[in-house]
Amino acid sequence: MKRFKEWPAALQRRWALLISACAGILLVGLAVFFAFNDTMMLALSSLLTLFLVLRCIHFYRIVRSGGYEVIDGICISVGRVGIRKYRRIRLLLSDGTEKDILIDKHTSLRVGNSYRIYLRRGASSSTPSDLPGEYWTGDSFLCLENLGRSSAD
């Protein structure tokens, strides 16, 4: 059980961003409701806020219980963005092994930078490929931290 101040900075930022999105969406919905008396916008923004609050609670429980794993490595290759929802990246870990990770195609990564990827532990996600040593980050992805240029260059 970790307190919020003991969480890694990347997870703190991600959780704060989720909370900010909740507040922002609700405020926009309220502003539109009071300006135009639009009850539909208020209902939709309230529902979206409710689902984001549930996601925040789920995220909080995962991180507080330590139910995540961390992958640290240097990006050595980034696959092309195609029609698929993901792209393949290859990380060189500190022990010298290489791991292929399938990550959302909208995530910007640079070859030669060090990254720390936080994944939910024991997530049962459907994997596009079942190759050993390959991770599909789909629903288990928590956040990505760019540690900057690698000193091994």
Side-chain angles (χ1 to χ4, degrees), residues 4 7-19 52-68 118 120 140-144:
F4 180 73
W7 291 8
L11 293 175
Q12 286 180 356
R13 282 191 304 270
R14 174 71 177 213
W15 194 70
L17 181 66
L18 286 172
I19 293 291
L52 276 173
V53 166
L54 292 175
R55 185 174 175 150
C56 288
I57 292 169
H58 182 66
F59 186 88
Y60 181 81
R61 286 183 178 169
I62 288 171
V63 177
R64 184 167 183 207
S65 67
Y68 63 92
Y118 295 90
R120 188 175 59 174
S140 65
F141 180 77
L142 295 176
C143 71
L144 173 83

Side-chain angles (χ1 to χ4, degrees), residues 85-96:
K85 294 181 182 178
Y86 58 89
R87 77 164 72 173
R88 183 182 314 272
I89 65 166
R90 181 166 287 175
L91 293 179
L92 179 64
L93 305 181
S94 59
D95 62 358

Side-chain angles (χ1 to χ4, degrees), residues 28-109:
V28 167
L30 285 171
V32 169
F33 173 71
F34 288 125
F36 302 111
N37 200 16
D38 188 357
T39 56
M40 184 58 71
M41 182 66 167
L42 180 63
L44 290 174
S45 64
S46 298
L47 276 174
L48 188 56
T49 301
L50 172 70
F51 291 127
L52 276 173
V53 166
L54 292 175
R55 185 174 175 150
C56 288
I57 292 169
H58 182 66
F59 186 88
Y60 181 81
R61 286 183 178 169
I62 288 171
V63 177
R64 184 167 183 207
S65 67
Y68 63 92
E69 60 181 305
V70 180
I71 299 174
D72 283 328
I74 300 169
C75 181
I76 56 175
S77 74
V78 177
R80 293 182 313 150
V81 177
I83 297 174
R84 297 175 286 188
K85 294 181 182 178
Y86 58 89
R87 77 164 72 173
R88 183 182 314 272
I89 65 166
R90 181 166 287 175
L91 293 179
L92 179 64
L93 305 181
S94 59
D95 62 358
T97 60
E98 295 180 0
K99 291 286 182 189
D100 285 346
I101 298 177
L102 302 176
I103 198 163
D104 183 58
K105 71 178 180 180
H106 300 293
T107 305
S108 63
L109 299 166

Side-chain angles (χ1 to χ4, degrees), residues 100-147:
D100 285 346
I101 298 177
L102 302 176
I103 198 163
D104 183 58
K105 71 178 180 180
H106 300 293
T107 305
S108 63
L109 299 166
R110 295 185 62 151
V111 174
N113 280 8
S114 295
Y115 293 98
R116 182 173 292 146
I117 300 173
Y118 295 90
L119 300 172
R120 188 175 59 174
R121 188 177 297 143
S124 59
S125 65
S126 58
T127 58
S129 79
D130 298 323
L131 298 174
E134 188 170 89
Y135 291 97
W136 164 242
T137 62
D139 60 347
S140 65
F141 180 77
L142 295 176
C143 71
L144 173 83
E145 184 177 9
N146 185 353
L147 301 175

